[in-house]
Amino acid sequence: MAKQKKTNAARILDEKKIEYKLIEYKVDEEHLDAVHVAAEVGLPAAQVFKTLVVRGDKTGPVFAVIPGDGELDLKALAKVSGNKRAELVHLKEVLPLTGYIRGGCSPLGAKKNYPVYLDETCILWEQIAISAGQRGLQIFLKPDDLVAATGAAVVNIIYA
Protein backbone atom coordinates (compact mmCIF):
# COMPACT_ATOMS: atom_id res chain seq x y z
CA MET A 1 0.00 0.00 0.00
CA ALA A 2 1.26 3.48 -0.84
CA LYS A 3 2.40 5.75 1.96
CA GLN A 4 -0.53 7.76 3.29
CA LYS A 5 -0.55 11.47 2.65
CA LYS A 6 -0.70 13.49 5.86
CA THR A 7 -3.67 15.79 6.21
CA ASN A 8 -3.66 19.09 8.11
CA ALA A 9 -5.49 17.32 10.93
CA ALA A 10 -2.75 14.66 11.17
CA ARG A 11 -0.01 17.31 11.04
CA ILE A 12 -1.62 19.17 13.95
CA LEU A 13 -1.63 15.98 16.01
CA ASP A 14 2.03 15.38 15.07
CA GLU A 15 2.95 18.92 16.19
CA LYS A 16 1.19 18.37 19.51
CA LYS A 17 2.87 14.94 19.88
CA ILE A 18 -0.52 13.24 20.15
CA GLU A 19 -0.72 9.55 19.34
CA TYR A 20 -3.20 8.56 16.63
CA LYS A 21 -3.73 6.08 13.83
CA LEU A 22 -4.80 6.92 10.26
CA ILE A 23 -7.25 4.40 8.79
CA GLU A 24 -8.16 4.41 5.11
CA TYR A 25 -11.51 3.20 3.83
CA LYS A 26 -13.25 2.91 0.48
CA VAL A 27 -15.35 5.99 -0.28
CA ASP A 28 -18.89 5.49 -1.52
CA GLU A 29 -20.19 8.79 -2.95
CA GLU A 30 -23.76 7.60 -2.35
CA HIS A 31 -23.14 6.90 1.35
CA LEU A 32 -20.98 9.57 2.99
CA ASP A 33 -22.71 9.26 6.36
CA ALA A 34 -20.87 8.25 9.53
CA VAL A 35 -22.87 5.03 9.92
CA HIS A 36 -21.53 3.81 6.57
CA VAL A 37 -17.99 4.97 7.43
CA ALA A 38 -18.22 3.07 10.73
CA ALA A 39 -19.06 -0.13 8.86
CA GLU A 40 -16.12 0.47 6.52
CA VAL A 41 -13.61 0.94 9.38
CA GLY A 42 -15.07 -1.85 11.54
CA LEU A 43 -16.35 0.19 14.46
CA PRO A 44 -19.82 0.70 15.96
CA ALA A 45 -21.46 3.86 14.61
CA ALA A 46 -21.50 5.31 18.14
CA GLN A 47 -17.66 5.23 18.14
CA VAL A 48 -17.23 7.10 14.84
CA PHE A 49 -17.84 10.79 15.47
CA LYS A 50 -19.10 13.10 12.74
CA THR A 51 -18.28 16.80 12.61
CA LEU A 52 -21.20 19.13 11.92
CA VAL A 53 -20.82 22.82 11.18
CA VAL A 54 -23.37 24.87 13.09
CA ARG A 55 -23.97 28.63 13.20
CA GLY A 56 -24.92 30.21 16.49
CA ASP A 57 -26.80 33.52 16.46
CA LYS A 58 -24.17 35.10 18.76
CA THR A 59 -20.94 33.14 18.19
CA GLY A 60 -21.11 32.35 14.49
CA PRO A 61 -19.79 28.97 13.32
CA VAL A 62 -18.95 26.18 15.77
CA PHE A 63 -18.19 22.48 15.32
CA ALA A 64 -20.47 19.89 16.89
CA VAL A 65 -18.72 16.50 17.06
CA ILE A 66 -21.25 13.78 17.75
CA PRO A 67 -21.56 9.98 17.46
CA GLY A 68 -22.27 8.74 13.95
CA ASP A 69 -25.62 7.34 14.99
CA GLY A 70 -26.57 10.37 17.09
CA GLU A 71 -28.84 13.30 16.32
CA LEU A 72 -27.66 16.79 17.23
CA ASP A 73 -29.83 18.63 19.75
CA LEU A 74 -29.55 22.19 18.41
CA LYS A 75 -31.17 23.70 21.53
CA ALA A 76 -28.65 21.96 23.80
CA LEU A 77 -25.77 23.10 21.58
CA ALA A 78 -27.07 26.67 21.54
CA LYS A 79 -27.26 26.70 25.33
CA VAL A 80 -23.75 25.32 25.98
CA SER A 81 -22.21 27.55 23.30
CA GLY A 82 -23.73 30.79 24.60
CA ASN A 83 -26.26 31.19 21.81
CA LYS A 84 -30.03 31.63 21.85
CA ARG A 85 -30.37 29.74 18.57
CA ALA A 86 -28.21 27.47 16.48
CA GLU A 87 -28.74 25.95 13.05
CA LEU A 88 -26.78 23.69 10.76
CA VAL A 89 -24.99 25.70 8.08
CA HIS A 90 -26.13 25.08 4.54
CA LEU A 91 -24.05 22.44 2.76
CA LYS A 92 -22.79 24.98 0.21
CA GLU A 93 -21.26 27.02 3.09
CA VAL A 94 -19.25 24.15 4.62
CA LEU A 95 -16.32 24.35 2.17
CA PRO A 96 -15.92 28.17 2.23
CA LEU A 97 -16.14 28.23 6.05
CA THR A 98 -13.94 25.23 6.85
CA GLY A 99 -11.95 24.26 3.77
CA TYR A 100 -13.55 20.81 4.03
CA ILE A 101 -16.14 19.02 1.90
CA ARG A 102 -19.10 16.94 3.07
CA GLY A 103 -17.88 13.56 4.25
CA GLY A 104 -14.43 14.95 5.04
CA CYS A 105 -15.03 17.62 7.68
CA SER A 106 -12.69 17.45 10.68
CA PRO A 107 -12.64 19.49 13.90
CA LEU A 108 -8.87 19.75 13.34
CA GLY A 109 -7.15 21.86 10.71
CA ALA A 110 -10.08 23.89 9.41
CA LYS A 111 -9.52 27.33 7.84
CA LYS A 112 -10.32 28.89 11.22
CA ASN A 113 -10.19 27.51 14.74
CA TYR A 114 -13.90 27.42 15.46
CA PRO A 115 -15.03 26.38 18.94
CA VAL A 116 -15.50 22.62 19.22
CA TYR A 117 -18.26 20.93 21.22
CA LEU A 118 -17.68 17.20 21.63
CA ASP A 119 -20.57 15.02 22.77
CA GLU A 120 -19.98 13.52 26.21
CA THR A 121 -20.61 9.97 24.94
CA CYS A 122 -16.98 10.09 23.75
CA ILE A 123 -15.93 9.09 27.29
CA LEU A 124 -17.55 5.68 26.77
CA TRP A 125 -14.74 4.75 24.38
CA GLU A 126 -11.01 4.24 24.80
CA GLN A 127 -10.64 5.50 21.22
CA ILE A 128 -12.94 7.31 18.83
CA ALA A 129 -12.68 7.95 15.11
CA ILE A 130 -13.03 11.35 13.45
CA SER A 131 -12.51 12.48 9.88
CA ALA A 132 -8.89 13.15 9.01
CA GLY A 133 -10.06 16.00 6.80
CA GLN A 134 -10.66 14.10 3.58
CA ARG A 135 -13.06 11.44 2.40
CA GLY A 136 -11.64 7.96 2.81
CA LEU A 137 -9.46 8.68 5.82
CA GLN A 138 -10.28 8.50 9.53
CA ILE A 139 -8.17 9.34 12.58
CA PHE A 140 -8.42 7.01 15.59
CA LEU A 141 -7.43 8.72 18.85
CA LYS A 142 -8.29 8.96 22.53
CA PRO A 143 -11.14 11.35 23.33
CA ASP A 144 -8.92 13.22 25.82
CA ASP A 145 -6.36 13.75 23.07
CA LEU A 146 -9.00 15.23 20.77
CA VAL A 147 -10.00 17.58 23.60
CA ALA A 148 -6.33 18.54 24.10
CA ALA A 149 -5.82 19.18 20.37
CA THR A 150 -9.00 21.21 19.79
CA GLY A 151 -9.81 22.75 23.17
CA ALA A 152 -13.20 21.05 22.86
CA ALA A 153 -15.87 21.37 25.52
CA VAL A 154 -17.23 17.91 26.37
CA VAL A 155 -20.98 18.40 26.62
CA ASN A 156 -24.35 16.68 26.18
CA ILE A 157 -25.49 17.75 22.70
CA ILE A 158 -27.38 14.76 21.31
CA TYR A 159 -30.92 13.53 21.85
CA ALA A 160 -31.05 10.64 24.33
Side-chain angles (χ1 to χ4, degrees), residues 46 49-50 63-67 70-73 76-77 116-125 128 143 146-147 152-160:
F49 280 63
K50 57 189 173 185
F63 286 132
V65 184
I66 65 170
E71 186 182 344
L72 178 62
D73 181 341
L77 178 63
V116 176
Y117 296 90
L118 175 61
D119 188 70
E120 66 187 9
T121 57
C122 68
I123 64 169
L124 301 174
W125 306 102
I128 59 172
L146 180 58
V147 170
V154 178
V155 291
N156 179 7
I157 53 171
I158 61 169
Y159 289 106

Side-chain angles (χ1 to χ4, degrees), residues 36-65:
H36 180 78
V37 172
E40 288 291 317
V41 299
L43 293 177
Q47 196 173 353
V48 175
F49 280 63
K50 57 189 173 185
T51 303
L52 304 174
V53 186
V54 181
R55 180 176 287 112
D57 63 333
K58 295 184 184 341
T59 62
V62 301
F63 286 132
V65 184

Side-chain angles (χ1 to χ4, degrees), residues 3 21 35 37-38 80 86 95 109 118 128 131 135 142 146:
K3 185 168 172 16
K21 189 164 58 169
V35 173
V37 172
V80 298
L95 179 61
L118 175 61
I128 59 172
S131 174
R135 291 176 181 168
K142 293 177 183 165
L146 180 58

Side-chain angles (χ1 to χ4, degrees), residues 52-56 61-62 87-94 97:
L52 304 174
V53 186
V54 181
R55 180 176 287 112
V62 301
E87 62 185 19
L88 287 170
V89 302
H90 196 279
L91 193 54
K92 69 179 191 279
E93 293 180 88
V94 173
L97 284 171

Side-chain angles (χ1 to χ4, degrees), residues 23-43:
I23 303 294
E24 287 186 78
Y25 64 93
K26 188 173 179 287
V27 177
D28 178 348
E29 297 287 334
E30 299 294 311
H31 301 97
L32 295 171
D33 60 276
V35 173
H36 180 78
V37 172
E40 288 291 317
V41 299
L43 293 177

Side-chain angles (χ1 to χ4, degrees), residues 7-18 108-110 113 149:
T7 63
N8 285 343
R11 280 192 284 279
I12 288 167
L13 294 173
D14 287 343
E15 286 168 17
K16 294 179 181 285
K17 300 192 178 357
I18 291 175
L108 288 162
N113 285 332

